[in-house]
């Protein structure tokens, strides 16, 4: 199954969940506006690709778990763009949700995308314990011990000179945990032991860190057309970023070094379990800057 086929399964899972919803049609429209905004779908794709690398045949149930993850990520983008947060007019190359539907409906669309995923996983035809583990870990990655906490720390850090350790703590939660979840979830679905699940999760955490450093670099070097959102927003908000803290060249080097660590961990895993690391390495390499 190639990338397009995997992502088509995810799109199908999203459409099946919202397609026949009859209540609050304006809410459905706002939700689907952001879901259909596109993006790379890197989180759901990673989940299905890691399963494939573990030689687990991809099913619609796996696509439902991947879709649930994408729903939470999309909801976070809606809220992140609100005037009370990053106050951005564009996301993925078009107007942000609140610019089209107003702040109140955008907030509620984000709320729906935070809550609906758990129903989607619960409905999946997977073993009960697998679903419990997936729901538990997705909640921990998303809520007050993960992404939401990271967003709070990020806002509190505006206008301050943070240390590298403080910056990494923010992004380990704000960005890293939702990028680590696909690896952890694949381990859960594949029935791997806890040690291998932790090793896979570490790969995701390293990719999440590199992803954030790369995002910070692009914020100061890329155009609107390249990133699909307003550039230099972090600079205007006086946020601590990796280029601001390390300098642009060192931030790029740090990103690439982190990706090297992810590749090394993938090699370790491939030595102890049947795991085709090459497709994941290809994704890792796609994040490399000037590489």
């Amino acid at each position: 199954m190639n990338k397009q086929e995997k992502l088509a399964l995810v799109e199908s899972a999203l459409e099946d969940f919202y397609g026949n919803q009859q209540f609050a049609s304006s809410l459905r429209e706002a939700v689907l506006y952001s879901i259909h905004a596109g993006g790379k779908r890197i989180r759901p794709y990673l989940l299905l690709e890691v399963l494939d690398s573990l030689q687990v045949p991809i099913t619609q149930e796996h696509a439902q778990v991947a879709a649930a993850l994408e729903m939470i990520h999309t909801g976070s983008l809606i809220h992140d763009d609100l005037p009370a947060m990053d106050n951005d007019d564009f996301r993925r190359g078009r107007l942000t949700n609140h610019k089209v539907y107003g702040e109140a409906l955008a907030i509620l669309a984000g709320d729906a995308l935070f809550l609906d995923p758990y129903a989607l996983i619960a409905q999946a035809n997977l073993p009960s314990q697998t679903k419990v583990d997936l729901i538990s870990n997705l909640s921990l990655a998303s809520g007050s011990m993960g992404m939401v906490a990271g967003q709070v720390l990020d806002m509190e850090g505006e206008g301050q000179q943070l240390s590298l350790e403080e910056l990494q703590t923010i992004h380990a939660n704000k960005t890293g945990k939702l990028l680590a979840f696909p690896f952890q979830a694949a381990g859960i679905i594949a029935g791997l032991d806890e040690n291998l699940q932790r090793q896979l999760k570490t790969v995701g955490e390293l990719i999440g860190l590199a992803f954030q450093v790369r995002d910070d670099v692009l914020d100061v070097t890329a155009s609107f057309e390249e990133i699909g959102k307003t550039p230099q927003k972090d600079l205007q908000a006086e946020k601590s970023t990796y280029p601001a803290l390390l300098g642009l060249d060192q931030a790029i080097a740090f990103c690439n070094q982190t990706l090297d660590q992810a590749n090394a961990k993938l090699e370790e895993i491939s030595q102890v379990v049947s795991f085709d690391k090459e497709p994941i390495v290809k994704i890792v390499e796609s994040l490399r800057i000037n590489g």
Side-chain angles (χ1 to χ4, degrees):
M1 187 180 293
N2 62 32
K3 181 178 181 178
Q4 288 70 31
E5 290 169 330
K6 290 184 176 78
L7 292 182
L9 279 177
V10 175
E11 299 304 319
S12 176
L14 290 166
E15 290 296 329
D16 287 347
F17 187 84
Y18 287 111
N20 296 318
Q21 188 183 117
Q22 300 300 316
F23 298 103
S25 59
S26 59
L27 174 62
R28 177 179 177 274
E29 183 182 339
V31 163
L32 290 177
Y33 175 82
S34 289
I35 283 177
H36 290 156
K40 295 182 177 67
R41 300 282 201 245
I42 188 169
R43 292 157 188 82
Y45 177 57
L46 274 169
L47 197 162
L48 298 183
E49 197 65 44
V50 176
L51 280 174
D52 212 0
S53 292
L54 288 166
Q55 300 181 27
V56 176
I58 305 300
T59 69
Q60 184 61 34
E61 289 73 29
H62 303 148
Q64 287 175 296
V65 178
L69 173 59
E70 183 66 11
M71 287 156 71
I72 287 181
H73 173 60
T74 301
S76 77
L77 299 183
I78 294 174
H79 282 185
D80 198 40
D81 291 331
L82 289 166
M85 303 273 273
D86 279 0
N87 191 24
D88 211 329
D89 293 347
F90 294 95
R91 170 71 67 174
R92 293 170 171 170
R94 62 178 184 171
L95 287 172
T96 45
N97 199 291
H98 69 275
K99 282 293 178 180
V100 177
Y101 296 100
E103 289 181 39
L105 189 53
I107 291 169
L108 292 168
D111 290 344
L113 284 163
F114 289 144
L115 295 168
D116 291 342
Y118 301 107
L120 181 54
I121 295 175
Q123 292 168 10
N125 185 24
L126 292 167
S128 295
Q129 189 59 52
T130 298
K131 292 192 285 189
V132 168
D133 291 345
L134 289 169
I135 288 169
S136 173
N137 283 288
L138 183 56
S139 177
L140 289 171
S142 305
S144 59
M145 297 183 188
M147 177 189 68
V148 175
Q151 181 66 47
V152 171
L153 293 173
D154 188 45
M155 291 189 301
E156 291 176 349
E158 290 181 8
Q160 298 184 40
Q161 183 64 41
L162 301 178
S163 68
L164 180 60
E165 183 179 1
E166 289 171 326
L167 196 57
Q168 286 182 269
T169 297
I170 289 171
H171 294 131
N173 289 282
K174 182 184 176 185
T175 308
K177 288 189 176 178
L178 274 194
L179 275 162
F181 178 78
F183 291 85
Q184 184 181 25
I188 291 169
I189 293 169
L192 300 183
D193 64 45
E194 290 186 5
N195 179 53
L196 281 169
Q197 287 183 31
R198 281 194 297 270
Q199 289 191 60
L200 279 170
K201 185 179 178 182
T202 298
V203 174
E205 289 168 345
L206 289 165
I207 290 174
L209 173 58
F211 192 90
Q212 183 61 54
V213 179
R214 183 177 187 272
D215 193 61
D216 283 358
V217 169
L218 291 176
D219 185 69
V220 295
T221 62
S223 66
F224 172 84
E225 288 74 21
E226 290 172 305
I227 60 177
K229 58 182 179 179
T230 307
Q232 300 188 8
K233 290 287 291 185
D234 293 340
L235 188 64
Q236 296 167 20
E238 297 183 344
K239 288 186 178 182
S240 288
T241 65
Y242 291 94
L245 188 61
L246 303 175
L248 185 60
D249 289 343
Q250 284 302 310
I252 291 171
F254 183 63
C255 174
N256 291 336
Q257 289 163 9
T258 304
L259 294 172
D260 290 340
Q261 293 175 46
N263 282 337
K265 180 59 71 173
L266 286 168
E267 175 61 26
E268 284 181 34
I269 294 168
S270 71
Q271 297 300 313
V272 295
V273 69
S274 182
F275 180 68
D276 179 11
K277 66 183 176 64
E278 293 309 318
I280 313 303
V281 169
K282 185 176 180 181
I283 295 171
V284 169
E285 291 303 311
S286 73
L287 298 175
R288 197 174 293 277
I289 305 175
N290 294 341

